[in-house]
C-alpha cells in the first residue's frame, strides 16, 4: 500500500511538472523574424502574461496541496491524491469533456470539377493553416479543441506526412470534417472568428469555415501515451483502478 501511495504522489507531481513545463516552453520558445503589428504584439504580450499568471496559480495550488497532504490522515491523503490525479488528467485532456461551444464545419468553398477519372477533387488543408486556426481559437477564448474527433492538447503534433495531415499521429480524413471547440462564451468566440482574417486564408485554399454555436458538445479524450522517462500515464490509471 505504501509503495502504491508513493507512486501516486510521484505521478501527481510529475503530471503537474509536465503541464507547467509545457506551458513554460511555449512562452520561452524562440520565434522567427517578427512581422506583427503593434496590436498583434500587444495581444501576444497579454496572452503570455495570462499564461504566466496561470503558471503562478498552478505553483500556488501545488503548495497548498502539499500542505494539505502534511496535515491529512493516510485515508484523507489518498482521497486527495486521487482527486488531484483526476483534476490533472482533465486539465491535460486525458478525459472526455462536455460543454457549450462552437462546431466548425470544414468544407470546400467551391466544388471543383471532376478529373479524367470522374472523381470529385477536394481542396487540401495545409498543416500550417490548421495550426494558425488553432492559435486563433485559443486567442479568442477556446478552452478545449478536437479536430475530426482527435483531441488537441499542448503537445499535439500537426504535421504533413506524404501529403496527408497527421494530428496525434493519426491521419485526418479528407474534407469535409468538423472542428469542435469548447468555450465559456461561444457566441463571442464565433463572432471573433467570423471577422478574423484567418477565414480569408482558408478561402484562398478553396476551404470554407461554417461555425455554429451548440450546447453539450462532447470532445473525446487524448488517447496517446505521454511518457515521463520510465513512467507514463497508463501507470496512473492502473493505480487509480486498484
Amino acid at each position: 500500500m505504501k509503495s502504491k501511495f508513493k507512486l501516486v504522489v510521484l505521478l501527481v507531481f510529475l503530471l503537474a511538472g509536465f503541464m507547467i513545463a509545457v506551458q513554460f516552453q511555449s512562452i520561452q520558445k524562440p520565434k522567427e523574424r517578427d512581422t506583427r503589428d503593434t496590436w498583434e504584439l500587444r495581444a501576444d504580450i497579454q496572452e503570455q502574461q495570462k499564461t504566466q499568471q496561470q503558471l503562478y496559480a498552478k505553483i500556488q495550488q501545488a503548495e497548498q496541496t502539499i500542505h494539505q497532504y502534511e496535515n491529512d490522515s493516510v485515508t484523507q491523503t489518498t482521497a486527495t491524491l486521487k482527486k488531484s490525479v483526476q483534476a490533472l488528467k482533465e486539465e491535460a485532456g486525458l478525459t472526455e469533456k462536455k460543454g457549450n461551444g462552437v462546431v466548425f464545419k470544414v468544407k470546400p468553398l467551391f466544388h471543383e470539377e471532376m478529373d479524367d477519372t470522374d472523381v470529385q477533387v477536394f481542396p487540401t488543408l495545409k498543416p500550417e493553416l490548421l495550426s494558425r486556426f488553432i492559435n486563433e481559437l485559443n486567442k479568442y477564448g477556446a478552452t478545449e479543441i478536437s479536430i475530426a474527433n482527435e483531441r488537441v492538447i499542448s503537445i499535439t503534433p500537426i504535421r504533413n506526412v506524404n501529403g496527408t495531415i497527421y494530428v496525434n499521429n493519426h491521419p485526418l480524413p479528407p474534407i469535409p470534417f468538423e472542428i469542435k471547440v469548447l468555450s465559456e462564451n461561444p457566441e463571442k468566440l464565433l463572432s471573433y472568428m467570423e471577422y478574423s482574417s484567418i477565414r480569408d486564408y482558408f478561402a484562398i485554399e478553396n476551404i470554407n469555415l461554417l461555425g455554429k454555436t451548440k450546447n453539450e458538445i462532447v470532445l473525446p479524450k487524448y488517447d496517446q501515451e505521454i511518457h515521463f522517462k520510465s513512467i507514463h500515464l497508463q501507470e496512473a490509471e492502473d493505480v487509480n483502478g486498484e
Side-chain angles (χ1 to χ4, degrees), residues 189-201:
L189 171 64
L190 181 58
S191 178
Y192 276 128
M193 296 307 298
E194 286 181 342
Y195 290 98
S196 172
S197 60
I198 193 69
R199 295 175 61 88
D200 297 330
Y201 291 100

Side-chain angles (χ1 to χ4, degrees), residues 12-13 15-24 50-66 87-92 144 154:
V12 168
F13 288 102
L15 283 165
F18 167 75
M19 294 172 63
I20 293 176
V22 168
Q23 293 188 21
F24 184 76
K50 180 181 177 181
T51 303
Q52 190 175 33
Q53 291 175 353
Q54 291 174 345
L55 293 178
Y56 290 148
K58 290 181 185 298
I59 293 173
Q60 184 178 12
Q61 184 178 4
E63 291 175 344
Q64 292 174 350
T65 302
I66 293 173
L88 287 169
K89 288 173 66 177
E90 290 179 1
E91 188 170 354
E144 305 290 345
S154 300

Side-chain angles (χ1 to χ4, degrees), residues 9 12-13 16 57-72 76-77 80-85 87-88:
V9 175
V12 168
F13 288 102
K58 290 181 185 298
I59 293 173
Q60 184 178 12
Q61 184 178 4
E63 291 175 344
Q64 292 174 350
T65 302
I66 293 173
H67 180 71
Q68 184 176 355
Y69 292 159
E70 293 174 344
N71 294 283
D72 285 349
Q76 291 174 325
T77 300
T80 302
L81 284 170
K82 290 183 177 181
K83 184 177 180 180
S84 298
V85 169
L88 287 169

Side-chain angles (χ1 to χ4, degrees), residues 90-104:
E90 290 179 1
E91 188 170 354
L94 303 181
T95 61
E96 184 180 87
K97 193 79 171 182
K98 298 179 181 179
N100 300 333
V102 182
V103 176
F104 292 92

